[in-house]
Amino acid sequence: MDLLNQLETILESDPLIDEVGLIHPSQFVTLSNECGESGNSSVDDAFGPTDTKFWNRDHKLGISTEVLLPLCKAAKSAFMDAMKQYKMHSNLSDDKHEDENIVIDSLLSCQSFEHEVMKHSRALLLLSCDFGTAWNARKLLVLKKPQLSVFTDELFLSTLVLSYSPKSEQAWSHRRWVIKMIAGNCLNLQQIVAKESELVKKIAERSKMNYRAWNHRCWLVSYMTREQMLHELKRSRDWAGLHVADNSCFHYRRLLILRIIESKPNKQDGNFSYDVEKYQVLKEELELNEVLIKRYIGREALWLHRRFLSLCWIRHLTTMCGISCHSEQKTSVDNEINIFLDKEFCLLDSCSLIQDTEFEDFKAQAMYSAVYFVWLIKKIPQFRKIEMHEKLKVGNLKNILHKTCSERSFLLDILEER
Amino acid sequence: MGKLAVDKHVQYILSVEKKKDSFESVVMDHLRMNGAYWGLTTLDLLGKLDSVNADEVISWIMKCQHESGGFSGNIGHDPHILYTLSAVQVLSLFNKLDVLGIDKFSVVGALAIMGSLHHVDKDLLGWWLCERQVKSGGLNGRPEKLPDVCYSWWVLSSLIMIDRVHWIDKEKLVKFILDSQDLENGGISDRPDDAVDVFHTYFGVAGIQCRSAHRFAFIYFTNSAFAVRFTMHAIVVGLSLLEYPGLKAIDPAYALPVDVVNRIFFSR
């Protein structure tokens, strides 16, 4: 219990702690040496150089791995007890008592147990971040005092947990719960959403392809305005270009693009400006994708992204035409599609040459480009109109598939169907 | 091709259960029900379910049931659908669904709902799933990720359910799985080349980060017991789906041995 008290005292005394980590006992020596060097004599030594269980400086908290097990047990036990007491007393205060004193007494006890539950659950969650029951308890108590500052505290705790456990689904989920609770009532929702997106970006930087982080960012999109979506797309463009193997990032971009395409204009804006924007967005993304494909050879995520973009592009061209289309416009749309497919053929040609068998990347590039083409053939009806190209290209495609991924026989089957 | 070291793996699973006071056990306290499902299903597929004390397990499970009918991950925790599914599955393994006091139709319904197949484009899904197989023969969970034996369950069962398992190279996958065993201690490493770090890590092992004037060495913990049982379950199930000799057949939809599922369906 003493250990738990120490931890909770630190947390209480330094509410700005934004990072938690586990430290091997031998690290304390290193840290205390460094502390000596920095000569910060005004700092309280209680959890400073001589302590070998906790480290607290500059709003960082380190916990020795040696005390982790007893601390965990103590926190769990304290939390469960507090929760039991709280439930008992909240039942009592719910009951209608004739004696006012009893009611007041149990209300006060209730409050003190609430405080205990919050205190112990916070310590527990820093040690066992997916302890669902503790997150649940906090939600229950927060709902009793649904003020913005209380909700903000919950986000802060979640951020702290994510600092050492960036994949904790409970921590991410708790954020979504908070946002759902405050969405209706707060004025600065856009700001909060923007900050959340920024948090994901920071976490994604050190925790690559963190599915839960990106999933959270995707979830935020439903709270974004069209302008915000366009802004997000633009803002994260450079990051995407520097993390071309991060499929989650491109998945996020696909979602943004999809939402932008699907968004219906209100009466003032009209269809035209939206259509122009959609065209721009797709065109720019296709261009970016091509640049990256040529620069970073054999990257699966880029080719998968292209599958989506091409389909969108063709669909966009086709739907822009619409039902009430003149035959002239139809022909021009067909032309646009043919131009696009011609360019894709050029891309295939440039990628299918396996220059070097020593580097796997060239082979991978050829394979991905060939599979991408089979995808186009399968998914785009307009491809069927291109008779001449087929004779020239399908043979080449089959060659590449045989050379690079012969076990995927269904791909060759798709070509046979043509 | 290597062989499946059945006895070593059984010993490993049983030993894990005994270490109730280890750090791993305490930290994974809240999802013990899942651990039970993984460990016990694996034992059943290996034909060794009788190595555990059924009464002990069942009495513990029943202590996890709440008034609502749902099950929690461990005694005293909140109920959750994930643990409810695991509890029902484990009770099925022991043929003790009658302790739930409900008729078997409801159980089948519950299992079916929780594991239900939605109407999907099988070609599209199959295409994406078979692209999970990488050059080494292993399966990954998402594009650009390394293969991991635990996907032998998720990806393979999905492919079987939509009848597209012939789109992957099964032999290569079996070899990949067998090569992942830790033949010395029992248990499994997630990739064949992981010699030193045998286990999945719950928290990763990180290097040194610099924060202002101080350096934090964030040393995370390997959560061996949790991860290894989970991974072993996937492996044994994967091999079962690939019809590896000597293993009981598993139903890909219900994630339970076929004979257990048949028992539920046919003994009304």
Side-chain angles (χ1 to χ4, degrees), chain B residues 174-194:
Chain B
V174 172
K175 180 171 191 308
F176 177 86
I177 294 173
L178 290 172
D179 286 348
S180 305
Q181 295 175 89
D182 180 357
L183 295 169
E184 273 183 46
N185 306 307
I188 308 243
S189 95
D190 66 6
R191 282 186 281 286
D193 353 323
D194 281 353

Side-chain angles (χ1 to χ4, degrees), chain A residues 125 128-137 139 154 157-159 161-162 165-178 212 216, chain B residues 30-31 77-80 82-83 202:
Chain A
L125 288 172
S128 181
C129 59
D130 283 327
F131 200 102
T133 307
W135 289 110
N136 290 348
K139 288 180 176 79
E154 293 306 297
L157 175 61
S158 162
T159 307
V161 168
L162 290 171
S165 202
K167 296 189 185 179
S168 166
E169 177 59 22
Q170 294 275 2
W172 286 112
S173 167
H174 200 63
R175 305 189 84 82
R176 290 191 282 276
W177 177 82
V178 166
R212 287 172 179 148
H216 185 71
Chain B
H30 55 281
L31 40 75
H77 290 248
D78 290 347
H80 194 288
L82 283 176
Y83 310 121
Y202 182 69

Side-chain angles (χ1 to χ4, degrees), chain A residues 88-123:
Chain A
M88 258 181 3
H89 282 79
S90 75
N91 282 341
L92 278 177
S93 62
D94 280 345
D95 292 345
K96 312 244 185 292
H97 252 277
E98 281 179 7
D99 189 339
E100 240 182 50
N101 286 328
I102 294 184
V103 174
I104 293 173
D105 263 347
S106 49
L107 270 172
L108 287 172
S109 316
C110 227
Q111 275 179 2
S112 96
F113 283 117
E114 267 177 36
H115 177 75
E116 292 291 290
V117 168
M118 291 303 261
K119 188 173 70 164
H120 295 314
S121 62
R122 178 168 60 170

